[in-house]
Amino acid sequence: MNTPISSSTFKRSVWLEKHPKLGISLMDHLFNRLDGAYPNRWRASFQSKQAIANWRDTWSEAFEEEGVTTQIISDALRVCRRTCDWPPSLPQFLKACKPALDVDAALYEAIDQMRARQHGRDQWTDPAIFWAAARVGEYDLISQTFTALKPRFEAALKKVLDGGGIQPVPARVPALQGPSAAESTREYGRQRLDELNAADVIKNVSKRGNLDWAYRTIEDEKATGKVPLNKLTIARHAIFNVTGEQV
């Protein structure tokens, strides 16, 4: 870059500081790389020095939030050169920073980690895999074959990735455990529902969707303790399959 552009960012970022080896900031270096990859097209997008400063602030902030590293930037530039005829927007560049997930590997992970999640030992390499698994459903992932699951999981993963705003993997609420010899199934079930505070889950109207019947089942169990165990189990599975909640 011929003339350094001053940034308006009030909180300095490592991306905006002068790099000791480059002699310019990492953002200036990225600007130059994109200008070289898209001669005329890239620089033409900026009509003023302030426009460049705004670009630097916005992109560096996104890199900080997304945990982007210099190696990731190098990989993303290669992806852009192969796939983008025009200079990438920020969302496009951030997508290039994230390598495409291997569906087969992601599904194997989903199956293994859903089993481990039953015991609170799940570890996910990417939260998108968890949310795709939640869309398919814990019971189906554990009970169905890989071949049967793959098209459903692939479609679920695509929806999760396309939707953006992927949330972290939530902590699993302990599942109902079997009663001891001194407790009846019904008494133990009512006790555990109290411990899980099912009423708070029921009040979360924003997540109900078409699951009112399932939440009513949980509510009836808490109030009466007379809901058949199989009906209660179906309701809990339905809630988890749609929302990822354990109730």
Side-chain angles (χ1 to χ4, degrees), residues 103-120:
V103 176
D104 285 2
L107 179 51
Y108 280 121
E109 176 178 326
I111 294 170
D112 288 342
Q113 295 310 310
M114 274 302 185
R115 290 195 181 104
R117 191 170 175 81
Q118 293 180 323
H119 307 287

PDB file of all heavy atoms in Angstrom, residues 103-120:
ATOM      1  N   VAL A 103     -18.521 -34.337   5.366  1.00  0.00           N
ATOM      2  CA  VAL A 103     -19.806 -34.835   5.871  1.00  0.00           C
ATOM      3  C   VAL A 103     -19.652 -36.186   6.545  1.00  0.00           C
ATOM      4  O   VAL A 103     -20.201 -36.424   7.627  1.00  0.00           O
ATOM      5  CB  VAL A 103     -20.850 -34.913   4.732  1.00  0.00           C
ATOM      6  CG1 VAL A 103     -22.145 -35.530   5.248  1.00  0.00           C
ATOM      7  CG2 VAL A 103     -21.129 -33.525   4.173  1.00  0.00           C
ATOM      8  N   ASP A 104     -18.887 -37.091   5.911  1.00  0.00           N
ATOM      9  CA  ASP A 104     -18.714 -38.421   6.503  1.00  0.00           C
ATOM     10  C   ASP A 104     -18.047 -38.323   7.875  1.00  0.00           C
ATOM     11  O   ASP A 104     -18.502 -38.935   8.847  1.00  0.00           O
ATOM     12  CB  ASP A 104     -17.877 -39.306   5.582  1.00  0.00           C
ATOM     13  CG  ASP A 104     -18.654 -39.788   4.365  1.00  0.00           C
ATOM     14  OD1 ASP A 104     -19.830 -39.388   4.229  1.00  0.00           O
ATOM     15  OD2 ASP A 104     -18.096 -40.547   3.554  1.00  0.00           O
ATOM     16  N   ALA A 105     -16.960 -37.547   7.945  1.00  0.00           N
ATOM     17  CA  ALA A 105     -16.256 -37.408   9.220  1.00  0.00           C
ATOM     18  C   ALA A 105     -17.144 -36.745  10.267  1.00  0.00           C
ATOM     19  O   ALA A 105     -17.143 -37.129  11.441  1.00  0.00           O
ATOM     20  CB  ALA A 105     -14.980 -36.595   9.022  1.00  0.00           C
ATOM     21  N   ALA A 106     -17.928 -35.744   9.821  1.00  0.00           N
ATOM     22  CA  ALA A 106     -18.818 -35.045  10.751  1.00  0.00           C
ATOM     23  C   ALA A 106     -19.903 -35.978  11.275  1.00  0.00           C
ATOM     24  O   ALA A 106     -20.261 -35.929  12.461  1.00  0.00           O
ATOM     25  CB  ALA A 106     -19.455 -33.840  10.061  1.00  0.00           C
ATOM     26  N   LEU A 107     -20.410 -36.854  10.418  1.00  0.00           N
ATOM     27  CA  LEU A 107     -21.451 -37.778  10.855  1.00  0.00           C
ATOM     28  C   LEU A 107     -20.892 -38.813  11.827  1.00  0.00           C
ATOM     29  O   LEU A 107     -21.541 -39.146  12.833  1.00  0.00           O
ATOM     30  CB  LEU A 107     -22.088 -38.471   9.648  1.00  0.00           C
ATOM     31  CG  LEU A 107     -23.188 -39.501   9.955  1.00  0.00           C
ATOM     32  CD1 LEU A 107     -24.249 -38.929  10.894  1.00  0.00           C
ATOM     33  CD2 LEU A 107     -23.825 -40.003   8.665  1.00  0.00           C
ATOM     34  N   TYR A 108     -19.716 -39.331  11.540  1.00  0.00           N
ATOM     35  CA  TYR A 108     -19.091 -40.266  12.489  1.00  0.00           C
ATOM     36  C   TYR A 108     -18.907 -39.592  13.848  1.00  0.00           C
ATOM     37  O   TYR A 108     -19.151 -40.194  14.903  1.00  0.00           O
ATOM     38  CB  TYR A 108     -17.741 -40.746  11.953  1.00  0.00           C
ATOM     39  CG  TYR A 108     -17.827 -41.845  10.919  1.00  0.00           C
ATOM     40  CD1 TYR A 108     -17.294 -41.668   9.644  1.00  0.00           C
ATOM     41  CD2 TYR A 108     -18.454 -43.055  11.217  1.00  0.00           C
ATOM     42  CE1 TYR A 108     -17.373 -42.674   8.693  1.00  0.00           C
ATOM     43  CE2 TYR A 108     -18.534 -44.067  10.271  1.00  0.00           C
ATOM     44  CZ  TYR A 108     -17.999 -43.871   9.007  1.00  0.00           C
ATOM     45  OH  TYR A 108     -18.090 -44.865   8.062  1.00  0.00           O
ATOM     46  N   GLU A 109     -18.472 -38.333  13.816  1.00  0.00           N
ATOM     47  CA  GLU A 109     -18.305 -37.598  15.070  1.00  0.00           C
ATOM     48  C   GLU A 109     -19.650 -37.433  15.775  1.00  0.00           C
ATOM     49  O   GLU A 109     -19.740 -37.609  16.996  1.00  0.00           O
ATOM     50  CB  GLU A 109     -17.700 -36.220  14.800  1.00  0.00           C
ATOM     51  CG  GLU A 109     -17.584 -35.371  16.061  1.00  0.00           C
ATOM     52  CD  GLU A 109     -16.951 -34.019  15.820  1.00  0.00           C
ATOM     53  OE1 GLU A 109     -16.049 -33.924  14.955  1.00  0.00           O
ATOM     54  OE2 GLU A 109     -17.343 -33.053  16.496  1.00  0.00           O
ATOM     55  N   ALA A 110     -20.687 -37.093  15.023  1.00  0.00           N
ATOM     56  CA  ALA A 110     -22.012 -36.887  15.615  1.00  0.00           C
ATOM     57  C   ALA A 110     -22.508 -38.149  16.310  1.00  0.00           C
ATOM     58  O   ALA A 110     -23.053 -38.098  17.422  1.00  0.00           O
ATOM     59  CB  ALA A 110     -23.002 -36.443  14.545  1.00  0.00           C
ATOM     60  N   ILE A 111     -22.324 -39.289  15.661  1.00  0.00           N
ATOM     61  CA  ILE A 111     -22.769 -40.554  16.249  1.00  0.00           C
ATOM     62  C   ILE A 111     -21.999 -40.851  17.529  1.00  0.00           C
ATOM     63  O   ILE A 111     -22.581 -41.181  18.570  1.00  0.00           O
ATOM     64  CB  ILE A 111     -22.596 -41.703  15.229  1.00  0.00           C
ATOM     65  CG1 ILE A 111     -23.542 -41.492  14.027  1.00  0.00           C
ATOM     66  CG2 ILE A 111     -22.867 -43.054  15.888  1.00  0.00           C
ATOM     67  CD1 ILE A 111     -23.281 -42.438  12.871  1.00  0.00           C
ATOM     68  N   ASP A 112     -20.675 -40.717  17.449  1.00  0.00           N
ATOM     69  CA  ASP A 112     -19.835 -41.006  18.620  1.00  0.00           C
ATOM     70  C   ASP A 112     -20.117 -40.050  19.770  1.00  0.00           C
ATOM     71  O   ASP A 112     -20.237 -40.464  20.934  1.00  0.00           O
ATOM     72  CB  ASP A 112     -18.359 -40.923  18.243  1.00  0.00           C
ATOM     73  CG  ASP A 112     -17.904 -42.086  17.365  1.00  0.00           C
ATOM     74  OD1 ASP A 112     -18.619 -43.106  17.330  1.00  0.00           O
ATOM     75  OD2 ASP A 112     -16.849 -41.965  16.718  1.00  0.00           O
ATOM     76  N   GLN A 113     -20.232 -38.772  19.452  1.00  0.00           N
ATOM     77  CA  GLN A 113     -20.389 -37.787  20.514  1.00  0.00           C
ATOM     78  C   GLN A 113     -21.789 -37.786  21.110  1.00  0.00           C
ATOM     79  O   GLN A 113     -21.965 -37.437  22.287  1.00  0.00           O
ATOM     80  CB  GLN A 113     -20.020 -36.394  20.006  1.00  0.00           C
ATOM     81  CG  GLN A 113     -18.553 -36.248  19.634  1.00  0.00           C
ATOM     82  CD  GLN A 113     -17.634 -36.757  20.744  1.00  0.00           C
ATOM     83  OE1 GLN A 113     -17.783 -36.389  21.899  1.00  0.00           O
ATOM     84  NE2 GLN A 113     -16.673 -37.615  20.375  1.00  0.00           N
ATOM     85  N   MET A 114     -22.790 -38.151  20.342  1.00  0.00           N
ATOM     86  CA  MET A 114     -24.132 -38.274  20.918  1.00  0.00           C
ATOM     87  C   MET A 114     -24.177 -39.431  21.918  1.00  0.00           C
ATOM     88  O   MET A 114     -24.861 -39.359  22.942  1.00  0.00           O
ATOM     89  CB  MET A 114     -25.184 -38.462  19.824  1.00  0.00           C
ATOM     90  CG  MET A 114     -25.694 -37.165  19.247  1.00  0.00           C
ATOM     91  SD  MET A 114     -26.418 -36.077  20.510  1.00  0.00           S
ATOM     92  CE  MET A 114     -27.032 -34.749  19.482  1.00  0.00           C
ATOM     93  N   ARG A 115     -23.434 -40.492  21.629  1.00  0.00           N
ATOM     94  CA  ARG A 115     -23.338 -41.586  22.604  1.00  0.00           C
ATOM     95  C   ARG A 115     -22.607 -41.096  23.858  1.00  0.00           C
ATOM     96  O   ARG A 115     -23.026 -41.355  24.982  1.00  0.00           O
ATOM     97  CB  ARG A 115     -22.595 -42.779  21.992  1.00  0.00           C
ATOM     98  CG  ARG A 115     -23.373 -43.525  20.904  1.00  0.00           C
ATOM     99  CD  ARG A 115     -22.729 -44.875  20.631  1.00  0.00           C
ATOM    100  NE  ARG A 115     -23.430 -45.609  19.592  1.00  0.00           N
ATOM    101  CZ  ARG A 115     -23.000 -45.737  18.347  1.00  0.00           C
ATOM    102  NH1 ARG A 115     -21.858 -45.182  17.991  1.00  0.00           N
ATOM    103  NH2 ARG A 115     -23.690 -46.420  17.455  1.00  0.00           N
ATOM    104  N   ALA A 116     -21.484 -40.386  23.629  1.00  0.00           N
ATOM    105  CA  ALA A 116     -20.712 -39.879  24.765  1.00  0.00           C
ATOM    106  C   ALA A 116     -21.516 -38.854  25.564  1.00  0.00           C
ATOM    107  O   ALA A 116     -21.362 -38.752  26.789  1.00  0.00           O
ATOM    108  CB  ALA A 116     -19.414 -39.245  24.269  1.00  0.00           C
ATOM    109  N   ARG A 117     -22.389 -38.118  24.892  1.00  0.00           N
ATOM    110  CA  ARG A 117     -23.183 -37.078  25.549  1.00  0.00           C
ATOM    111  C   ARG A 117     -24.149 -37.674  26.573  1.00  0.00           C
ATOM    112  O   ARG A 117     -24.512 -37.021  27.554  1.00  0.00           O
ATOM    113  CB  ARG A 117     -23.950 -36.271  24.501  1.00  0.00           C
ATOM    114  CG  ARG A 117     -24.609 -34.998  25.036  1.00  0.00           C
ATOM    115  CD  ARG A 117     -25.117 -34.159  23.884  1.00  0.00           C
ATOM    116  NE  ARG A 117     -25.864 -32.996  24.333  1.00  0.00           N
ATOM    117  CZ  ARG A 117     -25.319 -31.860  24.754  1.00  0.00           C
ATOM    118  NH1 ARG A 117     -24.002 -31.738  24.769  1.00  0.00           N
ATOM    119  NH2 ARG A 117     -26.072 -30.840  25.142  1.00  0.00           N
ATOM    120  N   GLN A 118     -24.549 -38.907  26.350  1.00  0.00           N
ATOM    121  CA  GLN A 118     -25.427 -39.574  27.312  1.00  0.00           C
ATOM    122  C   GLN A 118     -24.763 -39.697  28.675  1.00  0.00           C
ATOM    123  O   GLN A 118     -25.448 -39.823  29.695  1.00  0.00           O
ATOM    124  CB  GLN A 118     -25.818 -40.962  26.790  1.00  0.00           C
ATOM    125  CG  GLN A 118     -26.709 -40.904  25.551  1.00  0.00           C
ATOM    126  CD  GLN A 118     -27.072 -42.290  25.071  1.00  0.00           C
ATOM    127  OE1 GLN A 118     -26.270 -43.225  25.130  1.00  0.00           O
ATOM    128  NE2 GLN A 118     -28.296 -42.435  24.594  1.00  0.00           N
ATOM    129  N   HIS A 119     -23.439 -39.660  28.683  1.00  0.00           N
ATOM    130  CA  HIS A 119     -22.684 -39.784  29.928  1.00  0.00           C
ATOM    131  C   HIS A 119     -21.947 -38.483  30.278  1.00  0.00           C
ATOM    132  O   HIS A 119     -21.082 -38.484  31.154  1.00  0.00           O
ATOM    133  CB  HIS A 119     -21.674 -40.927  29.808  1.00  0.00           C
ATOM    134  CG  HIS A 119     -22.291 -42.223  29.368  1.00  0.00           C
ATOM    135  ND1 HIS A 119     -23.081 -42.995  30.185  1.00  0.00           N
ATOM    136  CD2 HIS A 119     -22.268 -42.864  28.159  1.00  0.00           C
ATOM    137  CE1 HIS A 119     -23.506 -44.062  29.518  1.00  0.00           C
ATOM    138  NE2 HIS A 119     -23.023 -44.007  28.290  1.00  0.00           N
ATOM    139  N   GLY A 120     -22.292 -37.395  29.555  1.00  0.00           N
ATOM    140  CA  GLY A 120     -21.677 -36.109  29.833  1.00  0.00           C
ATOM    141  C   GLY A 120     -20.225 -36.012  29.432  1.00  0.00           C
ATOM    142  O   GLY A 120     -19.480 -35.196  29.973  1.00  0.00           O
TER     143      GLY A 120
END
